[in-house]
Amino acid sequence: MAYGRLDVFFPDGNFRSFPLVNPTESVGRSPGNTIKLDAETISRYHFSVINHQDTVTLADLDSQNGTYV
């Protein structure tokens, strides 16, 4: 069961929603991520969403463009 969702809004007006189901979801351009985004402004390994004991945190993975909520 999902504990949340990640909504991604692209500059062209499109958006995608991703259910957050794993304790750690990694986001980036690389196929090694659980959520792969093909966008120039996303680093290969950009950020992680971590669910630990019902506390959800977001951690930037030293991405070049940073992570903003």
Side-chain angles (χ1 to χ4, degrees):
M1 178 165 200
Y3 56 87
R5 75 172 189 245
L6 173 68
D7 293 331
V8 180
F9 296 86
F10 295 95
D12 64 4
N14 288 321
F15 75 93
R16 289 184 62 192
S17 291
F18 300 90
L20 301 174
V21 294
N22 299 308
T24 300
E25 300 279 3
S26 59
V27 181
R29 286 192 335 260
S30 176
N33 291 290
T34 54
I35 299 174
K36 183 179 179 301
L37 298 175
D38 188 22
E40 292 179 10
T41 56
I42 301 292
S43 295
R44 287 177 294 163
Y45 294 95
H46 201 96
F47 66 90
S48 289
V49 180
I50 303 146
N51 181 16
H52 180 69
Q53 298 179 345
D54 292 329
T55 298
V56 180
T57 56
L58 187 129
D60 185 77
L61 300 175
D62 295 324
S63 64
Q64 186 174 24
N65 291 322
T67 301
Y68 303 91
V69 178

